[in-house]
Amino acid sequence: MKRILIIDDDAEFLLTISKMFKIKGFDVMTCSKASEAIIRLQSIFPDIILCDVMLSDMQGFDFYKTLKRNFAFSNIPLIFISGRAVNTEDIMKGLDLGADDYFLKPIDFEILLKRINARIEKKDKIDEYLNFRMKEIKSMIGNQFDFELKKPFEGIIGKADTIIQNYKNLSKDELFYKIEQIKASSEKLYKSIENILLFISIIKNDFVQLDYFKIHSVNDIDINAIFGSIYGASFRKKDIFIKFNIVSQIRRPILLKKMVQELVDNAIKFSKIGAAITFNLDIDEKRVRLEIRDEGNGFKIASKEQVLPFSTNSDEVDGKSHGLKLGLWIVKMLVENLNGDFEIYSEIGKGSTIIIEYPN
């Protein structure tokens, strides 16, 4: 049975249209306030939402923005309805937000019904695809376990065993080198686990872990503290070129460091030794802009919407898989969570350029 949630503060209209949908076999739920609908959505999952533009407690447009920020509800189709005189600008505003349609009262029910059935059919196809993708993702996680988690563990244990068994015969330099290797494997393992936890929190719409990266600093941060450890530890440091233009305090250093770390890691994975990786960082009072360009193989990607976790649309430099491919997607989600912009331009054989910009 198809389920519809109708939100309208006109009691007579709500009663009339509810009866009409029930006759057509719908499971109908109604709310007179947006705040009530938000609460109801925690326990029910409609196939489509019909929402009045002017509600007593919140504009329908604001309700829709709230809905779309919740990952669990972002795929539910929504149709706006309005009983007041509207102009083209009002209708375009609703459609620009991503609404599926816009109807004016009095409503032609048969036309509305056809539009609703079409939207639900489209949603069902998307849901079917997403379920298929989730099965693929589970398989990919299993396949990539060796690369992302098991190998770093083996590296830590193997180097530790070498030290334990040969510590009397190792020079200080040899011992220091082994410890550096253990540290590098530990950091790689930590980053993989952190990214998996971030992925889980994002798809559950739990942004608490994302909030950690948005922490503001009250102290001036040396830019070398952001790039230093990443740049210094990379075996490709001769390929990395960094240009700064900083005229303001870095207010979210943890966020910037995370983004730089993921973008450098991504560029290294998909380019050969000797291929240049160029960073341009601009920071002023209002915004942070980071551009990274590599001369790698490029991605089979047409737009930022195709930047997905566990994706298979990238063309690796050696034909082999390189991990869970979570990092770039996490950068995109962090930027968008700050109402920033994320753009990617790529061409097979010519490399990639990624540009991110967000409020400072």
Side-chain angles (χ1 to χ4, degrees):
M1 182 181 288
K2 299 171 185 176
R3 178 178 289 176
I4 184 170
L5 171 62
I6 308 171
I7 312 165
D8 200 305
D9 52 11
D10 183 337
E12 184 178 348
F13 171 79
L14 208 55
L15 179 63
T16 302
I17 201 165
S18 295
K19 288 180 180 179
M20 296 172 78
F21 276 113
K22 286 177 181 177
I23 291 171
K24 295 296 182 179
F26 279 76
D27 178 14
V28 181
M29 298 167 294
T30 61
C31 295
S32 60
K33 294 182 178 180
S35 55
E36 179 188 350
I38 291 170
I39 294 172
R40 292 284 299 277
L41 283 167
Q42 305 306 312
S43 57
I44 56 98
F45 198 89
D47 293 298
I48 195 163
I49 297 173
L50 198 62
C51 181
D52 190 21
V53 171
M54 294 299 294
L55 298 167
S56 59
D57 61 337
M58 183 188 299
Q59 276 204 351
F61 296 146
D62 293 328
F63 167 76
Y64 186 66
K65 290 177 184 177
T66 301
L67 190 74
K68 289 302 176 182
R69 282 197 293 267
N70 189 316
F71 186 87
F73 307 130
S74 61
N75 193 38
I76 301 176
L78 182 142
I79 293 176
F80 281 123
I81 53 177
S82 178
R84 67 185 180 94
V86 295
N87 54 37
T88 304
E89 186 178 338
D90 290 324
I91 296 173
M92 291 305 298
K93 181 178 179 181
L95 297 177
D96 286 343
L97 285 173
D100 293 83
D101 220 325
Y102 200 119
F103 277 78
L104 301 179
K105 298 176 184 177
I107 293 172
D108 186 319
F109 181 75
E110 291 303 320
I111 293 177
L112 175 63
L113 184 64
K114 287 182 179 180
R115 298 275 180 87
I116 283 175
N117 284 332
R119 298 303 184 275
I120 291 176
E121 183 180 352
K122 181 180 178 181
K123 172 185 174 293
D124 289 343
K125 289 179 179 179
I126 293 173
D127 288 343
E128 184 180 349
Y129 170 75
L130 290 176
N131 288 332
F132 173 75
R133 280 289 295 151
M134 284 305 297
K135 290 179 181 178
E136 277 192 329
I137 287 170
K138 289 178 182 178
S139 174
M140 289 176 192
I141 291 175
N143 293 337
Q144 295 301 327
F145 180 81
D146 277 356
F147 186 86
E148 288 287 331
L149 301 177
K150 191 175 178 182
K151 286 190 180 299
F153 265 125
E154 290 175 345
I156 293 168
I157 293 169
K159 300 300 184 298
D161 280 343
T162 300
I163 292 172
I164 291 169
Q165 294 170 15
N166 302 290
Y167 73 95
K168 291 183 179 179
N169 301 319
L170 292 173
S171 67
K172 287 184 179 181
D173 287 343
E174 289 172 327
L175 184 60
F176 183 77
Y177 177 68
K178 296 292 182 186
I179 293 172
E180 273 192 322
Q181 288 181 309
I182 290 174
K183 183 174 183 289
S185 293
S186 300
E187 287 174 344
K188 181 177 180 180
L189 181 62
Y190 177 86
K191 187 170 82 71
S192 296
I193 294 172
E194 179 183 66
N195 283 354
I196 290 170
L197 293 175
L198 279 171
F199 167 73
I200 292 170
S201 72
I202 290 169
I203 64 171
K204 289 172 63 180
N205 199 46
D206 176 8
F207 291 101
V208 173
Q209 291 201 49
L210 293 189
D211 289 341
Y212 166 74
F213 294 100
K214 295 188 287 185
I215 294 173
H216 279 246
S217 172
V218 295
N219 302 314
D220 286 334
I221 303 295
D222 183 354
I223 192 62
N224 292 318
I226 301 290
F227 282 87
S229 60
I230 299 167
Y231 177 81
S234 174
F235 69 95
R236 295 276 301 278
K237 57 186 177 183
K238 290 183 179 180
D239 298 335
I240 301 173
F241 302 91
I242 305 171
K243 182 180 178 181
F244 304 132
N245 180 28
I246 301 171
V247 295
S248 177
Q249 180 188 20
I250 302 170
R251 296 190 176 93
R252 294 187 177 98
I254 299 173
L255 175 70
L256 182 59
K257 185 172 182 178
K258 175 65 175 174
M259 290 183 177
V260 170
Q261 183 184 51
E262 295 298 343
L263 292 172
V264 168
D265 187 48
N266 184 78
I268 287 173
K269 283 180 180 178
F270 300 108
S271 64
K272 297 178 180 179
I273 294 174
I277 298 170
T278 306
F279 261 101
N280 286 298
L281 176 65
D282 295 282
I283 300 176
D284 58 32
E285 281 293 328
K286 293 183 178 180
R287 52 120 206 189
V288 175
R289 186 182 188 277
L290 178 61
E291 177 179 333
I292 181 169
R293 193 169 68 251
D294 68 66
E295 298 175 355
N297 273 26
F299 289 87
K300 291 177 180 177
I301 194 164
S303 68
K304 63 182 179 181
E305 283 71 28
Q306 290 180 301
V307 176
L308 299 168
F310 316 107
S311 62
T312 57
N313 57 8
S314 55
D315 205 26
E316 291 88 348
V317 294
D318 52 9
K320 298 177 182 178
S321 180
H322 287 279
L324 300 175
K325 304 178 182 70
L326 277 173
L328 196 57
W329 178 76
I330 286 172
V331 169
K332 185 181 78 163
M333 296 304 293
L334 285 167
V335 172
E336 291 179 351
N337 188 247
L338 286 166
N339 295 317
D341 294 316
F342 176 99
E343 297 295 338
I344 179 167
Y345 307 94
S346 191
E347 187 175 348
I348 297 298
K350 294 187 177 180
S352 304
T353 298
I354 297 168
I355 303 170
I356 60 175
E357 188 170 327
Y358 59 90
N360 188 8

